[in-house]
């Protein structure tokens, strides 16, 4: 499931991700939840009949996605769509924290910050002025699996956008003075995260799930590794991974395909840096089972995460089924966990499920906020719901509602050029192909109740459970009635 991250002042920090895989952008869930959702179905006004079974149908003014590979190895994917006069240019670099040596963990995120700080010919702040001068917006995000930089401009200014992105990818100056300033910003970001129970919970999920795995490393890094990233080490990483053969440029929006392709060839001409990844053997994957970590903080409620194994992108049949299962269990007010654990039993103040899809085998998380005295009862109630799912399966109306909700949220998140480039880029970076995104909804519609029960039995097993609890140092007592 592609999950939309929280935004930091300058970048999208995607460790908390996850990114789209469509839980699908969390900001759109709010819109969907305003629709009329009942326990027996989902009524989305104006959207009945929207969902088909042949993949994502074309929108008016839209052309099929086409892929090109330039002579220097840069992959270009163009999605021509004339619904509005804007274009998003989105460069995805196939590297993230899973590719980093442990001693410089956090370098992908640190470098992403630095690429906004100037190039060999443009000083700090100059690129911002250029982009904003044509009414554009740009930002970036770092995850465990990738880093990407996206810029949206009116289609008449696509040349400006291309020039800026190419300059950043090819000629970043990594100014020493700016680097030290940004190091302080990132260290502050790290310490703020330790005081944010939701963000800390998510980070601990990966720490407790694995004894060893590339996914165990955080995107942000830790103080020792952040402090160890010298300019020389950052330049080395930049030159190794920011190479044409390790990148894909997604262009989505109001463009003429062949005209834009010609401009891209010209703009990236001479960019012939060689992809030279580190030769350190990949970290083997070894999962933990039965682990529990409890952390005390100055907070008012407890935070609970029940962590199970989950499929990576190389197991697509399981991915589709888990994406639908996510919506049956914990997405929306009519989901099983919300109804049973929050509404009926009143054991939690909030409950949700998360499944960020990674290249490697990942995690499926049930998280909740609740009073500390409800922790044991809530955990047992959640596990009972999972047992019910494994033994009795999913009802037909639940399955239909989950598919409809997931599919419609997918549509909502792809209404803009930026949403379209995000979907295409995310799945292309994980799979190396455009077909996964193109056929995503068709494969979601194929999922049966048997498929969901199969993955529930395979992954959501009590013996595979790990858990994280962040609880108050002292819990505020319940008010007593007079």
């Amino acid at each position: 499931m592609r999950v939309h991250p929280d935004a930091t002042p300058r970048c999208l920090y995607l460790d908390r991700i996850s990114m789209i895989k469509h839980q699908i952008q969390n900001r759109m869930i709010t819109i969907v939840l305003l629709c009329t959702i009942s326990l027996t179905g989902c009524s989305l006004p104006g959207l009945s009949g929207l969902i088909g079974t042949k993949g994502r149908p074309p929108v008016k003014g839209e052309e099929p996605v086409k892929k090109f590979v330039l002579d220097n190895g840069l992959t270009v994917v163009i999605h021509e769509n004339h619904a509005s006069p804007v274009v998003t240019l989105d460069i995805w670099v196939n590297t993230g924290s899973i590719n980093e040596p442990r001693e410089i963990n956090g370098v992908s995120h640190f470098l992403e910050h630095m690429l906004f700080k100037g190039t060999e010919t443009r000083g700090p702040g100059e690129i911002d002025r250029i982009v904003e001068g044509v009414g554009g917006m740009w930002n970036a995000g770092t995850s465990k699996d990738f880093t990407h930089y996206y810029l949206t401009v009116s289609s008449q200014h696509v040349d400006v956008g291309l020039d800026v992105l190419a300059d950043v990818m090819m000629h970043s100056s990594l100014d020493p003075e700016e680097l030290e300033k940004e190091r302080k910003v990132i260290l502050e970001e790290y310490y703020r995260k330790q005081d944010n129970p939701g963000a800390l919970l998510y980070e601990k999920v990966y720490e407790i799930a694995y004894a060893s795995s590339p996914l165990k490393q955080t995107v942000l890094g830790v103080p020792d590794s952040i402090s160890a990233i010298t300019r020389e080490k950052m330049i080395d990483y930049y030159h190794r991974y920011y190479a044409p053969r390790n990148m894909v440029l997604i262009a989505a929006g109001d463009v003429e395909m062949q005209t834009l392709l010609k401009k891209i060839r010209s703009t990236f001409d001479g960019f012939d840096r060689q992809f030279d990844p580190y030769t350190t053997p990949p970290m083997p994957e070894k999962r933990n089972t039965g682990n529990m970590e409890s952390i005390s903080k100055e907070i008012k409620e407890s935070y609970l995460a029940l962590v199970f194994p989950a499929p990576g992108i190389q197991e697509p049949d399981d991915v589709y089924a888990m994406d639908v299962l996510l919506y049956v269990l914990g997405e929306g007010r009519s989901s099983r966990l919300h109804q049973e654990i929050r509404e009926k039993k009143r054991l939690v103040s909030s409950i949700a499920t998360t499944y960020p899809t990674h290249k490697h085998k990942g995690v499926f998380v049930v998280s909740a906020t609740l009073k500390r005295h409800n922790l044991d009862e809530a955990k047992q109630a959640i596990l009972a719901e999972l047992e019910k799912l494994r033994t009795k399966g999913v009802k037909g109306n639940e399955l239909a509602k989950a598919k409809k909700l997931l599919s419609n949220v997918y549509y909502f998140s792809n209404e803009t050029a930026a949403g379209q480039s995000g979907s295409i880029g995310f799945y292309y970076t994980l799979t190396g192909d455009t077909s996964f995104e193109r056929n995503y909804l068709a494969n979601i519609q194929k999922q049966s109740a048997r498929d969901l029960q199969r993955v529930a039995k395979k992954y959501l097993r009590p013996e595979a459970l790990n858990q994280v609890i962040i609880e108050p140092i002292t819990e505020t007592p319940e008010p007593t009635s007079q």
Side-chain angles (χ1 to χ4, degrees), residues 94-288:
N94 198 1
T95 187
S97 60
I98 65 172
N99 303 98
E100 300 166 353
R102 185 174 301 174
E103 61 272 15
I104 57 170
N105 175 214
V107 67
S108 302
H109 176 249
F110 198 160
L111 176 60
E112 177 231 296
H113 276 234
M114 287 301 300
L115 293 198
F116 288 94
K117 299 297 180 178
T119 67
E120 294 171 5
T121 58
R122 291 166 169 147
E126 189 172 347
I127 292 177
D128 286 337
R129 289 191 291 272
I130 292 170
V131 173
E132 292 169 6
V134 296
M137 297 178 291
W138 76 312
N139 215 320
T142 306
S143 86
K144 293 179 180 291
D145 296 294
F146 55 80
T147 312
H148 81 126
Y149 303 80
Y150 54 98
L151 184 153
T152 300
V153 292
S154 63
S155 48
Q156 63 181 311
H157 295 302
V158 68
D159 292 15
V160 175
L162 275 176
D163 181 61
V164 164
L165 279 181
D167 197 18
V168 166
M169 294 299 108
M170 298 162 62
H171 306 300
S172 183
S173 61
L174 304 181
D175 178 80
E177 185 175 337
E178 293 293 328
L179 188 144
E180 293 309 319
K181 290 179 182 177
E182 209 59 33
R183 191 192 310 276
K184 293 178 182 178
V185 171
I186 293 171
L187 286 169
E188 289 173 4
E189 189 177 342
Y190 172 85
Y191 291 116
R192 283 198 309 272
K193 185 174 185 181
Q194 306 314 300
D195 292 329
N196 180 326
L200 181 61
L201 185 78
Y202 181 83
E203 186 168 290
K204 292 297 181 181
V205 158
Y206 284 90
E207 288 184 16
I208 202 167
Y210 302 98
S212 173
S213 169
L215 290 172
K216 194 176 177 75
Q217 292 199 136
T218 72
V219 172
L220 198 57
V222 296
D224 284 350
S225 64
I226 295 167
S227 299
I229 300 170
T230 63
R231 180 173 184 268
E232 290 70 28
K233 290 177 180 178
M234 185 177 288
I235 289 173
D236 179 61
Y237 180 82
Y238 175 51
H239 287 165
R240 285 176 180 273
Y241 286 91
Y242 280 59
R245 294 185 185 278
N246 197 44
M247 302 162 70
V248 57
L249 169 58
I250 312 294
D254 184 31
V255 296
E256 196 285 313
M257 192 170 295
Q258 291 303 320
T259 300
L260 179 62
L261 182 61
K262 184 177 179 180
K263 290 178 179 179
I264 292 171
R265 291 185 192 277
S266 174
T267 303
F268 285 90
D269 184 44
F271 185 31
D272 55 3
R273 193 180 295 155
Q274 296 303 301
F275 178 44
D276 183 24
Y278 295 116
T279 56
T280 307
M283 193 181 300
E285 181 181 300
K286 183 179 179 182
R287 285 192 174 266
N288 289 323

Side-chain angles (χ1 to χ4, degrees), residues 3 8 18 30 38 76 82 172 175 188 323 342 353 424 476:
V3 184
T8 62
S18 320
T30 304
S38 69
V76 178
H82 303 286
S172 183
D175 178 80
E188 289 173 4
D323 279 0
R342 187 181 186 279
T353 49
I424 297 166
T476 303

